[in-house]
């Protein structure tokens, strides 16, 4: 980690940094109070080396961000993989893609590691689920900016969702609000989900599931990954097209169930699989609109706009909110 002067070259209050902590990659950047993002720094997540190594990596990356901006750290917001108790900044549970992650005190661990870089006393560290952070980013400065209520669905290595109302994500009594990947859905019967159970959306709709299903059904064994399946579907491989379409239909059906219960103002869909093209999108939206009642016929279904910066922006928004609240409390 590069050396940083905590107060910055002008003795200012320091920067707010947002971190997207995923199972394969960590991204971090400064984010100002208007949502403008500085240069995004990234590095692989050393998930296999355990939680301590992951927190060390996050601290190192944040140090690099601060060194590049020439300032200290005012507050840190983290969007992390797993079910997160955002009040304590602790991981409640996680899938087997992130070994030994449950029980990790992300907030405490990072506060200790980054204390030497703090721009003042009492470093603010906020932690939330990465999809919640993604949704807050899109609702603040992305595809759904200005909407009062938003459902975001992220389809990539897994399937996650979050509901944001008036800028704040719904957390749930057990910190599980938005775990759409573990909804039972038709078409996933008997298929194993990374959580260990069968029949869940993630087992049929996520990126790895698309590749796995294509091979299981007799697809070309030389097919390398999900991107290859999608490319083959576009080139006329009927099996690949059928698998991609089935995955998208499962996600569309799940979204239909969620919007029927929650009635959001808009739906935003993002993640790597959402870049699969017209076949995937048409299957998802066609299924969704065929399942919902007439009152939801005009519901906007929008592609995410912030790309890889969304969770960084949303995580920083949480840190900004907490910082401003703390400042208000300290005023006489």
């Amino acid at each position: 980690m590069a050396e940083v002067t905590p107060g910055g070259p002008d003795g200012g209050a320091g920067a707010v940094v947002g971190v997207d902590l995923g199972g394969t990659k960590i991204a971090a950047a400064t984010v100002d109070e208007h949502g403008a993002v500085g240069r995004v720094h990234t590095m692989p997540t050393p998930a296999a080396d355990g939680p301590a190594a992951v927190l060390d990596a996050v601290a190192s990356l944040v140090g690099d961000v601060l060194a590049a901006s020439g300032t200290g750290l005012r507050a840190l917001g983290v969007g992390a993989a797993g079910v997160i108790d955002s009040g304590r900044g602790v991981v409640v549970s996680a899938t087997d893609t992130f070994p030994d992650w449950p029980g990790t005190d992300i907030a405490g661990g990072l506060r200790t590691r980054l204390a030497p870089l703090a721009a003042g006393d009492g470093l603010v560290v906020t932690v939330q689920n990465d999809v919640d952070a993604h949704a807050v980013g899109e609702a603040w400065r992305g595809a759904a900016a200005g909407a009062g209520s938003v459902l975001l669905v992220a389809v990539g290595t897994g399937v996650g969702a979050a509901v944001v109302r008036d800028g704040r994500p719904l957390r749930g009594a057990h910190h599980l609000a938005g775990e759409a990947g573990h909804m039972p859905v038709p078409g996933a019967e008997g298929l194993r989900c990374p959580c260990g159970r069968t029949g869940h959306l993630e087992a049929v709709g996520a990126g790895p599931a698309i590749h796995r299903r294509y091979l299981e059904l007799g697809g070309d064994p030389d097919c390398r990954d999900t991107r290859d399946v999608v490319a083959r579907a576009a080139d006329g491989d009927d099996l690949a097209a059928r698998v991609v379409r089935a995955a998208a239909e499962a996600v569309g059906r799940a979204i239909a169930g969620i919007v029927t219960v929650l009635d959001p103002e808009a739906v935003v869909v993002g993640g790597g699989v959402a870049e699969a093209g017209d076949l995937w999108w048409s299957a998802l939206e066609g299924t969704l609109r065929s399942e919902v009642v007439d009152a939801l016929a005009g519901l906007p279904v929008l592609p995410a706009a912030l790309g890889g910066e969304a969770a960084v922006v949303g995580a920083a928004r949480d840190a900004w909110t907490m910082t401003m609240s703390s400042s208000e409390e300290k005023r006489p």
Side-chain angles (χ1 to χ4, degrees):
M1 184 173 5
E3 186 174 344
V4 182
T5 302
D10 59 356
V16 172
V17 175
V19 175
D20 179 8
L21 172 52
T24 58
K25 184 181 74 173
I26 307 168
T30 58
V31 180
D32 71 16
E33 65 271 30
H34 306 294
V37 183
R39 177 191 162 203
V40 179
H41 297 241
T42 64
M43 68 183 299
T45 305
D49 296 332
V54 171
L55 297 185
D56 287 344
V58 172
S60 178
L61 193 64
V62 171
D64 291 342
V65 170
L66 296 173
S69 65
T71 187
L73 183 62
R74 180 179 183 182
L76 178 70
V78 181
V83 177
I84 307 295
D85 179 343
S86 59
R88 297 186 299 138
V90 174
V91 182
V92 175
S93 65
T95 65
D96 53 13
T97 58
F98 224 129
D100 302 320
W101 199 225
T104 301
D105 182 359
I106 299 175
L110 291 177
R111 191 176 290 115
T112 298
R113 287 167 170 81
L114 291 168
L117 303 182
D121 296 331
L123 176 62
V124 171
V125 179
T126 63
V127 186
Q128 60 185 312
N129 170 264
D130 54 354
V131 181
D132 284 354
H134 189 159
V136 170
E138 290 288 347
W140 184 27
R141 288 293 180 263
S149 58
V150 180
L151 168 68
L152 176 126
V153 179
V155 188
T157 304
V159 181
V163 179
V164 176
R165 183 176 176 81
D166 297 328
R168 299 187 64 83
L170 177 66
R171 306 292 189 190
H174 304 92
H175 320 293
L176 281 167
E179 288 293 324
H182 306 295
M183 293 174 58
V185 294
E189 297 88 349
L191 301 178
R192 186 181 184 277
C193 179
C195 75
R197 291 171 173 79
T198 60
H200 292 178
L201 174 60
E202 200 162 292
V204 65
I210 292 172
H211 182 231
R212 182 173 59 249
R213 191 62 174 158
Y214 174 73
L215 296 178
E216 288 173 349
L217 293 176
D220 184 348
D222 292 331
C223 180
R224 300 181 305 277
D225 53 24
T226 303
R227 289 181 183 275
D228 198 357
V229 178
V230 171
R232 289 166 184 262
D235 287 341
D237 183 324
D238 289 341
L239 176 59
R242 179 155 52 93
V243 171
V244 170
R245 191 178 298 110
E249 289 171 350
V251 176
R253 194 168 290 114
I255 294 174
I258 298 170
V259 300
T260 300
V261 173
L262 298 179
D263 190 18
E265 193 172 328
V267 175
V268 176
V269 183
V273 175
E275 300 171 3
D278 289 344
L279 174 65
W280 188 87
W281 269 98
S282 61
L284 179 146
E285 191 164 2
T287 300
L288 164 60
R289 298 202 183 280
S290 70
E291 295 276 358
V292 296
V293 296
D294 291 346
L296 292 170
L299 177 69
V301 179
L302 310 168
L306 297 182
E309 295 183 355
V312 170
V313 172
R317 173 64 184 268
D318 207 30
W320 270 112
T321 300
M322 186 66 70
T323 300
M324 296 303 183
S325 296
S326 298
S327 298
E328 289 292 331
E329 291 174 1
K330 291 177 181 178
R331 290 179 181 175

